[in-house]
């Protein structure tokens, strides 16, 4: 097979134009091997979108990659040799170079792989046709599995048998929804084969670690509009397994409201709109994200004014609270809220402890500061220092 298309990516494509990436390619080619860019970087270049990372694929075995990199004066680190990955450092950047592989055995979570010299075999063990696209160092596209046609139609399609692909690795169910949210044509609907296979295999999702589920869901929620994918996740039973008690009803509303206020998407707002039980644990959120998520929910559903939230917790949490309150009221937020929140987030309380001493000390000092701060917030930050100090 090894279909080479008469299609060459523009030489201005960031990773093609990157001399450090080219140096990695040259090191392997000088040793008589082939090396290709693969996966998301090729897919996104073809879509005209920025890429998140650059992966490479080669017919050279890992030890050979190490040796050829060294010969070219590049540092090589065996970051995942057992599954064929060597990180080659070029110009201070790490490039993951993985030997062609085929799956020998899979258990739904991890695979035992064998190295291969065939790009077709390597393509077949990937997840979706649009992710099995390769480009050589000159930008020529190689498409072993007709992924290009699917990509052009913005169709996320499992490679060959969807049911088999999912049973090999249940994370692919979540990746399916993530790629649909980011790249699919929403008017085309979802691939019936994929949906049937996903719905028949929700049990396997229980075997996935919280980290992997969390990382995928975060990427899904960061898509411009994750609502249609989340609705199908609910219908197929996937959402109920990964985030019990969640409800996607508000997600399309919050996306709509973000648009009305010209706010860039923020995954944590959407996550808060989804709700659910033990969200931080189930998704193994980082400490900082978990704290922000908790604070956002308290802010949104508590009684504080948006001004006070913005002053105390910053702009992002106040905006999230405004959006979630709008969802609750099923009424678009007023645009004026942007300025209110922006101003309040920058407001500086004009009184310091030194202003109150020595008249107040110890716990009384703390209580007085709190009292004056409350007066100041209630005045919508207009009360000045002198007025505040005269407060009885
Ligand atoms: P992005 O980097 O934008 O998240 P990507 O497609 O590059 O998207 P990665 O997770 O970086 O995704 O993986 C790189 C490539 O490796 C994918 O394009 C796909 O070909 C393959 N791949 C990754 N994870 C899996 C998986 N669970 N099953 C099969 N193939 C996978
Ligand atoms: Mg990638």
């Amino acid at each position: 097979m090894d279909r080479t298309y008469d299609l060459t990516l523009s030489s201005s494509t960031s990773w093609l134009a990157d001399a450090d990436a080219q140096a990695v390619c040259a090191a392997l080619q000088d040793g008589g091997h082939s090396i290709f860019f693969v996966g998301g970087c090729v897919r996104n270049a073809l879509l005209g979108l920025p890429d998140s990372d650059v992966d490479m694929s080669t017919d050279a075995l890992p030890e050979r990659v190490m040796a050829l990199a060294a010969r070219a004066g590049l540092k090589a680190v065996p970051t995942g040799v057992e599954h064929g990955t060597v990180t080659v450092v070029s110009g201070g950047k790490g490039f993951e170079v993985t030997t062609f592989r085929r799956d020998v055995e899979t258990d739904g979570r991890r695979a035992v792989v064998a190295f291969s010299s065939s790009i077709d075999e390597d393509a077949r063990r990937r997840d979706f046709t649009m992710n099995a696209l390769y480009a050589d160092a000159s930008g020529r596209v190689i498409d072993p599995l007709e992924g290009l046609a699917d990509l052009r139609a913005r169709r996320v399609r499992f490679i060959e048998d969807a049911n088999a692909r999912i049973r090999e690795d249940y994370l692919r169910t979540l990746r399916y929804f993530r790629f649909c949210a980011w790249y699919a044509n929403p008017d085309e609907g979802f691939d019936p084969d994929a949906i049937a296979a996903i719905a028949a295999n929700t049990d396997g999702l229980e075997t996935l670690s919280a980290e992997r589920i969390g990382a995928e869901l975060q990427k899904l929620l960061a898509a411009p509009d994750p609502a249609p994918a989340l609705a199908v996740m609910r219908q197929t039973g996937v959402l109920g397994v990964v985030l019990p008690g969640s409800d996607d009803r508000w997600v399309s509303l919050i996306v709509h409201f973000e648009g009305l206020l010209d706010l860039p998407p923020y995954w944590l707002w959407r996550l808060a709109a989804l709700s659910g039980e033990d969200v931080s644990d189930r998704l193994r959120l980082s400490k900082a994200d978990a704290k922000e998520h908790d604070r956002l929910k308290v802010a949104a559903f508590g009684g504080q004014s948006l001004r006070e939230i913005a002053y105390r917790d910053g702009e992002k949490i106040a905006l999230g609270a405004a959006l979630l309150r709008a969802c609750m009221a099923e009424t678009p937020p007023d645009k004026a809220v942007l300025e209110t929140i922006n101003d309040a987030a920058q407001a500086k309380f004009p009184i310091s402890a030194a202003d109150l001493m020595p008249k107040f000390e110890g716990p009384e000092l703390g209580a007085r500061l709190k009292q004056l701060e409350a007066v100041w917030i209630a005045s919508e930050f207009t009360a000045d220092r002198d007025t505040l100090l005269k407060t009885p």
Side-chain angles (χ1 to χ4, degrees), residues 32-335:
H33 289 277
S34 47
I35 178 159
F36 301 94
F37 296 94
V38 64
C41 62
V42 180
R43 178 196 66 222
N44 285 17
L46 286 161
L47 290 173
L49 298 172
D51 47 75
S52 53
D53 54 9
V54 177
D55 292 304
M56 297 183 187
S57 197
T58 179
D59 61 353
L61 291 172
E63 305 82 75
R64 182 90 175 128
V65 175
M66 299 277 300
L68 289 173
R71 198 168 85 182
L74 301 172
K75 195 175 155 200
V77 189
T79 42
V81 215
E82 61 294 345
H83 51 261
T85 304
V86 171
T87 300
V88 180
V89 184
S90 175
K93 287 173 288 209
F95 294 91
E96 287 200 351
V97 180
T98 304
T99 305
F100 290 155
R101 298 176 293 188
R102 65 189 156 80
D103 288 336
V104 174
E105 212 183 294
T106 53
D107 69 355
R109 281 188 295 174
R110 56 184 78 80
V112 177
V113 296
F115 298 133
S116 163
S117 55
S118 152
I119 194 171
D120 285 1
E121 279 188 328
D122 187 74
R124 246 182 259 121
R125 67 167 291 283
R126 294 177 185 273
D127 44 10
F128 308 107
T129 56
M130 63 165 63
N131 285 350
L133 290 162
Y134 300 73
D136 69 14
S138 67
R140 217 161 44 123
V141 174
I142 294 107
D143 175 20
L145 302 175
E146 301 186 353
L148 208 47
D150 285 331
L151 185 72
R152 289 205 163 120
R154 290 185 168 259
R155 206 161 38 216
V156 185
R157 208 158 55 82
F158 279 100
I159 290 170
E160 292 162 359
D161 182 20
N163 200 59
R165 287 296 85 74
I166 291 169
R167 285 166 175 245
E168 285 159 2
D169 179 0
Y170 291 101
L171 190 72
R172 291 174 184 167
T173 288
L174 301 182
R175 286 174 62 88
Y176 174 78
F177 290 111
R178 189 224 316 175
F179 291 117
C180 283
W182 276 96
Y183 307 117
N185 174 356
D187 301 331
E188 285 290 314
F190 291 77
D191 173 19
D193 285 347
I195 297 309
I198 284 169
N201 287 291
T202 52
D203 288 357
L205 293 165
E206 311 260 12
T207 62
L208 295 174
S209 71
E211 278 99 337
R212 294 182 87 199
I213 294 176
E216 266 311 314
L217 226 51
Q218 174 170 343
K219 290 180 194 166
L220 164 70
L221 290 170
D225 183 6
L230 286 162
V232 180
M233 283 175 75
R234 168 173 40 81
Q235 288 153 14
T236 48
V238 171
L239 194 59
V241 177
V242 295
L243 212 55
S246 60
D247 185 339
D248 60 296
R249 217 174 18 164
W250 279 5
V251 178
S252 51
L253 260 187
I254 206 166
V255 167
H256 175 60
F257 293 159
E258 285 166 6
L260 292 178
L261 297 184
D262 280 328
L263 292 169
Y266 183 43
W267 69 279
L268 256 173
W269 294 340
R270 283 102 176 261
L271 181 63
L274 260 185
S275 200
E277 299 152 14
D278 306 326
V279 173
S280 298
D281 286 342
R282 289 205 164 259
L283 305 183
R284 188 90 24 101
L285 298 185
S286 72
K287 272 213 179 82
D289 288 342
K291 200 170 147 208
E292 193 176 343
H293 180 253
D294 289 347
R295 191 59 207 114
L296 176 54
K297 300 212 69 165
V298 171
F301 306 117
Q304 280 180 325
S305 70
L306 291 174
R307 270 199 183 82
E308 181 165 2
I309 297 166
Y311 163 65
R312 293 193 189 282
D313 300 313
E315 193 164 15
K316 220 148 188 191
I317 286 183
L319 287 171
L323 290 166
L324 289 164
R325 286 178 184 186
C327 288
M328 209 168 4
E330 294 184 17
T331 309
D334 191 332
K335 271 204 157 187

